[in-house]
Amino acid sequence: MFVRLVYESFRRQKRRKLLAGAAITLGVTVATAMIAVATDIGDKINRELRTIGANLVVSPEEDTLDVEIGGVNLKPPSDGAFLNEADLPKIKGTFWHNNITGFAPMLPVNVSIQQDGKTHDATLLGTYFTKRIVFGTDVFTTGVRSTHAWWRVSGAWPDDNSQDVLVGDRLAPRLGVKPEDSLSISGRQLRVSGILSTGGSEDDQIVAPLPLAQQILGKPGAVRRVYVSAITKPEDAFARRDPRTMSGPVYDRWYCSPYPQSIALQLTEAISHSHAEQIRQVAQNEGVLLTRIEGLIFLIALAALLASALAVSAAMATTAIFERRAEVGLMKALGAGRLAVASVFFAEAALLALMGGLVGFVAGGLLAHRIGEAIFNSQIAVSPVLLPVILTIAVLVTFAGSAAAIRGAVRLDPVFALRGEL
């Protein structure tokens, strides 16, 4: 009898049930898509943000020393502290090597430029442009073209093994040079392959392949600092804890989480006599941006579910109280208690929620896939593990929308209900 009551309800009230089911499906569709995007958005946004620059910097360990005795600062001079270029491939040997999207070493050198009978003092910055690096069996390409994607060149980029240079767009007019011209820099004739525009201090400098800067400085293999782009997890209270106070599983959890600090520690371990730290303005702004975007996504999902619950509430109120008052009155006149009457309506709501949840889950997966292609140019897949969660949400939303109507139905007086009164 119970099953027949539920079946007859769906058969005789197709339009009402269809409207309620459509409301559930739409709400679940949006919620599924937003949850899928939220769970996958961190890495994708981090990869997009990596195009705005590095978020970690590695410098010589001596630069972090600050020793003062008797008012005299004994900190070693920065000009004498260098990293070893041979250690740089080890960056890809860290635990989070897959999260490191690129790195670019920097070596500034003071040079003199002879041009049209005049001598100009300037800084020559040695770096990688698109350097091919080999570590074990892994081969990858890195340099400023991946870590400093906003750099623009009028002309051609130099080859990392060439004697070509880039001249900053503020320095070029003072020297009167353009692409394909030659410059005499510290006694070397070098070709200008392009004019560089960065909006930063490099516009007043000359940017050259790292080996050329090392030759001019007379220090083969020397690197002054390394900028690293890494996909990281936004800071939380656990990330800001001092790892020196941790032990055992707590330290392992911190070390094996892609926090900027834990990746910086691993970079310090990989490169001899180095100190790595996050570029705090970049890392903190990324964390704030990710938190706000995720908050907006969950707010959209919550709004969709709330709208769905309100639509279900309107549909169920009409169905339960107005159209089915005689049925409820008859059930109670035959001896059915409040629990028995409520169980019929809750069974209908649960069945409606499961059907709408399944359809919404499939539709939400397609919507998430479409969002991924349109915004991130990549796929966002909905994990099957999410299905029980979505169905549970659908049932809870439907019950929440139906609760008031069902409560009114079970309180109907059978005498007035059978007479058509409320």
Side-chain angles (χ1 to χ4, degrees), residues 99-120:
N99 283 50
I100 295 175
T101 60
F103 59 86
M106 300 291 180
L107 179 64
V109 182
N110 294 325
V111 296
S112 60
I113 305 170
Q114 292 76 39
Q115 184 74 1
D116 297 330
K118 298 180 180 179
T119 300
H120 305 266

Side-chain angles (χ1 to χ4, degrees), residues 77-123:
S78 59
D79 288 343
F82 297 99
L83 301 172
N84 189 351
E85 183 186 0
D87 289 333
L88 300 189
K90 296 178 183 178
I91 291 175
K92 276 293 190 175
T94 61
F95 180 81
W96 289 107
H97 62 278
N98 288 329
N99 283 50
I100 295 175
T101 60
F103 59 86
M106 300 291 180
L107 179 64
V109 182
N110 294 325
V111 296
S112 60
I113 305 170
Q114 292 76 39
Q115 184 74 1
D116 297 330
K118 298 180 180 179
T119 300
H120 305 266
D121 293 328
T123 298

Side-chain angles (χ1 to χ4, degrees), residues 151-214:
W151 284 16
R152 293 292 177 263
V153 171
S154 175
W157 288 89
D159 186 88
D160 283 286
N161 297 315
S162 70
Q163 297 288 302
D164 297 343
V165 298
L166 298 174
V167 180
D169 65 356
R170 287 197 297 261
L171 179 61
R174 299 201 297 266
L175 299 177
V177 296
K178 58 184 183 302
E180 302 300 330
D181 287 350
S182 62
L183 274 180
S184 178
I185 301 177
S186 297
R188 290 174 169 80
Q189 286 297 126
L190 305 176
R191 187 178 75 94
V192 178
S193 66
I195 305 300
L196 175 66
S197 175
T198 69
S201 60
E202 296 84 6
D203 291 347
D204 294 302
Q205 299 174 353
I206 296 170
V207 182
L210 182 61
L212 178 58
Q214 293 168 343

